Amino acid sequence: MKNFRKLAIAIGCLVMTINAMAQDAKTLPYKAAWATDLEDWQVIDNKYQSKTWQWKSAETLTITDSKRANDDWLISPAINCSGKGAKKVWLNAAWNKAQSSNISLYYSTNFEGNVEAAEWILIEENIIPDSHPFGFKWAAYYTYSKKLKFSAPKVHFAIRYQPHNEAGERQNEIRIRRFKVLGK
């Protein structure tokens, strides 16, 4: 009976911890508003701090090449992706001058503020295909969506910018719009 009480207390503590983690996380469906700033998204700028993720306009963030080997992370707040069924990550992306850049999408279930200490799982590399036209008119935005199967009370998504192939001679601006995570 004594061991049963200890087990019941341990299970109760675990359930409360999971519920607390889930309550701190944003619920599905999640949409990044980016109304006037980056909101609760975190920027990790590993190189060349003058070129990093910035707010551009409502629902739109931007980054510009520095002609160097940038490595910049844009990390979402915690999003509660628990429950059955697939989740769908959706965003629009565009580039301006040269198709030389690479943005990749990752997720982590153990990110606690240190990008290097977390385990990041690559969802997709080079989100914008090289064959996609460039420009910032609405028709030039590439629509990216991916269904994912996982269940976790706290998931962070990251959009990572690194030069595609080699850092180029020309600067290239990239924009991300309307980031969403949907559940079934």
Side-chain angles (χ1 to χ4, degrees), residues 14-166:
L14 178 64
V15 168
M16 288 190 316
T17 300
I18 290 171
N19 285 339
M21 286 173 58
Q23 287 174 356
D24 290 341
K26 307 289 183 184
T27 58
L28 294 180
Y30 170 79
K31 178 182 176 187
W34 298 327
T36 59
D37 59 18
L38 296 169
E39 294 176 346
D40 45 5
W41 283 64
Q42 183 177 352
V43 172
I44 308 289
D45 188 6
N46 288 327
K47 294 181 180 178
Y48 312 113
Q49 307 217 345
S50 65
K51 303 293 184 180
T52 190
W53 289 103
Q54 299 176 24
W55 180 82
K56 178 72 176 175
S57 61
E59 298 185 327
T60 306
L61 302 183
T62 186
I63 190 168
T64 303
D65 286 339
S66 67
K67 299 182 187 177
R68 300 183 190 176
N70 289 32
D71 183 11
D72 296 281
W73 294 73
L74 178 63
I75 302 173
S76 76
I79 300 170
N80 184 346
C81 292
S82 60
K84 294 182 180 179
K87 287 30 169 206
K88 184 176 185 179
V89 178
W90 189 94
L91 60 88
N92 293 120
W95 48 20
N96 194 23
K97 296 179 184 170
Q99 295 156 338
S100 64
S101 299
N102 184 12
I103 52 173
S104 302
L105 184 63
Y106 295 81
Y107 77 90
S108 175
T109 58
N110 68 348
F111 176 71
E112 297 294 335
N114 182 340
V115 73
E116 292 175 13
E119 177 185 359
W120 291 98
I121 292 92
L122 178 66
I123 298 170
E124 186 100 22
E125 187 174 39
N126 198 18
I127 289 174
I128 306 172
D130 288 344
S131 61
H132 190 73
F134 54 89
F136 293 134
K137 293 189 178 179
W138 183 244
Y141 274 83
Y142 179 73
T143 299
Y144 174 84
S145 68
K146 183 82 168 187
K147 285 187 180 181
L148 305 169
K149 290 198 175 193
F150 59 83
S151 178
K154 189 175 94 171
V155 176
H156 290 270
F157 293 90
I159 301 168
R160 184 180 187 186
Y161 166 79
Q162 295 176 295
H164 180 55
N165 297 326
E166 295 181 25

